[in-house]
Amino acid sequence: MKKVHIFNHSLIQHKLGIVRDKSTGPKDFRELVEEISKLMAYEITLDLPLMDVEIETPVCSTTVKRLSGKKLGVIPIMRAGLGMVDGILSLIPVAKVGHIGLYRDPETLEAVEYYAKLPEDIGERELIVVDPMLATGGSASAAIDAIKKRGAKHIKFLCLIAAQEGIDKIHEDHPEIPIYTGSIDDGLNEKSYITPGFGDAGDRLFGTK
Ligand code: PRP
Ligand code: URA
């Protein structure tokens, strides 16, 4: 399928520009990541299936629309994916949240799983795996492996920024999964950080450096 969707919405692009600025501190960084995630969730849910239901307004009976189809799940890749959850839940409060803990070994750059807690009915849910960065794609691919192993079937991947290398990795390992991103950046540096990127997302969100 090989689908990549880039959000060209002006507010998303404007806010991404502020996130990239190294002078943006943790409080603003957190708030902006949350706001961008909310805007992205608004766009990504554009065509969720609807059904007709009969209701009574204070005036008369009428037919209105209501969401139908599969229930949703949000799967943040820890740590940095946590910063995207509240923005998405503010629009979709009934979504369940599953957590996958992965870190990228600084020597080997391999993703190492340290935590997994997922909704029991994961196989029936439409899942959005979230992480602000898709760099080499190692973490996202391993997270998707981990949730597929536990029964996940319907998966989208949502990030703030991506490198082409990460997109290629997901396409190779999980060709059926659509990728949604605010940008495809120029590439990766020698530490496999996205360039221009926005640095270490986890550290900037949580003020750990
Ligand atoms: C960052 C980021 C992704 C990963 C992307 O997490 O949030 O999960 O790196 O890199 P990749 O595509 O090359 O795998 P990191 O490993 O720094 O952990 P953290 O979120 O705990 O800071
Ligand atoms: N992890 C980050 O936090 N930033 C990058 O640019 C790449 C991986």
Side-chain angles (χ1 to χ4, degrees), residues 104 133 135 192-194 199-201:
R104 190 167 70 156
M133 343 272 312
S192 288
Y193 272 46
I194 299 174
D200 190 310

Side-chain angles (χ1 to χ4, degrees), residues 87-191:
I88 299 174
L89 288 183
S90 68
L91 284 188
I92 319 166
V94 295
K96 292 210 171 149
V97 182
H99 294 85
I100 289 283
L102 291 172
Y103 66 89
R104 190 167 70 156
D105 185 294
E107 303 295 320
T108 64
L109 302 179
E110 290 289 313
V112 183
E113 183 181 318
Y114 62 86
Y115 188 79
K117 183 79 182 170
L118 301 166
E120 278 180 358
D121 57 353
I122 189 169
E124 274 97 68
R125 287 184 181 264
E126 200 69 64
L127 301 167
I128 311 172
V129 176
V130 300
D131 193 322
M133 343 272 312
L134 179 64
T136 64
S139 308
S141 182
I144 294 166
D145 278 337
I147 65 171
K148 279 185 173 173
K149 209 167 62 192
R150 293 166 171 95
K153 293 190 188 76
H154 315 282
I155 306 167
K156 294 183 168 82
F157 181 79
L158 176 66
C159 59
L160 267 54
I161 60 171
Q164 189 60 49
E165 288 85 337
I167 291 171
D168 292 344
K169 169 98 179 137
I170 300 298
H171 280 163
E172 199 176 313
D173 296 351
H174 305 284
E176 78 287 5
I177 294 190
I179 298 170
Y180 297 82
T181 182
S183 164
I184 302 177
D185 276 22
D186 297 342
L188 299 175
N189 71 9
E190 65 294 343
K191 283 167 59 191

